[in-house]
Amino acid sequence: GCPVGIPIPEFLDQVAQGNIAAAYEILSNANALPAISGRVCPQENQCEGKCVRGIKGEPVAIGRVERFVADWAAQQGVANTATAPKNGRKVAVIGPAGLTCAGELARMGYSVTVFEAFHLPGGVLTYGIPEFRLPKAIVAREVANLEKMGVEIQLNMVIGKVLTIPELFDMGYESV
């Protein structure tokens, strides 16, 4: 039931064994923004909705476990910023789900630039979700991890006004 393919049984098994670092590695290998998705992903309709424990009771609170593991890693100063060797390909990322896309591409070795229309990165994560649901500090921390992976973020870049898509291709981006 996980749209990003987190191997939930393996992830939960590591938590149950008390191996939070291994759980974080499993989680962050499948999801570039685990602290965010642990807070805003609709788990009740996805992973928790498919949890077999929910047949005769309450499903495992997978989202809360994900949030705990991601926050533990941040408190320990752990960040999974491993990427494949650079493949020489350059990609521009624009729009919704841009941070997730950038993280996935960076893991595969692409040189990625996110073009953010506003003065802070994160789009709807920063501007559309209330602070009590998703603290801005969490978004900033996850963005910093993406930058450690080599993702470049350019702010105040309204594509179509500041730059056009043809101009991005002229700048050497092979995909937008």
Side-chain angles (χ1 to χ4, degrees), residues 28-156:
S28 60
N29 281 340
N31 181 355
L33 307 169
I36 293 172
S37 62
R39 287 172 167 79
V40 299
C41 187
Q43 293 97 0
E44 61 279 355
N45 297 325
Q46 294 175 359
C47 57
E48 293 174 16
K50 303 286 188 214
C51 179
V52 296
R53 292 196 46 107
I55 294 170
K56 292 189 177 183
E58 290 293 315
V60 174
I62 298 165
R64 290 183 181 165
V65 176
E66 183 177 353
R67 182 179 352 171
F68 165 77
V69 169
D71 289 350
W72 175 91
Q75 290 168 353
Q76 302 302 312
V78 175
N80 185 355
T81 57
T83 59
K86 291 292 181 192
N87 62 21
R89 315 291 306 257
K90 191 173 169 184
V91 178
V93 175
I94 305 162
L99 295 179
T100 299
C101 179
E104 294 299 318
L105 290 168
R107 282 204 196 286
M108 293 187 277
Y110 291 88
S111 295
V112 182
T113 304
V114 173
F115 291 90
E116 171 61 60
F118 294 108
H119 66 282
L120 292 173
V124 73
L125 299 173
T126 300
Y127 295 100
I129 300 175
E131 179 77 16
F132 72 87
R133 175 93 168 148
L134 180 61
K136 306 308 176 236
I138 302 289
V139 177
R141 183 178 76 214
E142 297 286 70
V143 167
N145 286 339
L146 291 175
E147 290 174 322
K148 289 177 190 170
M149 294 170 68
V151 172
E152 179 186 347
I153 299 181
Q154 292 195 18
L155 303 174
N156 302 308

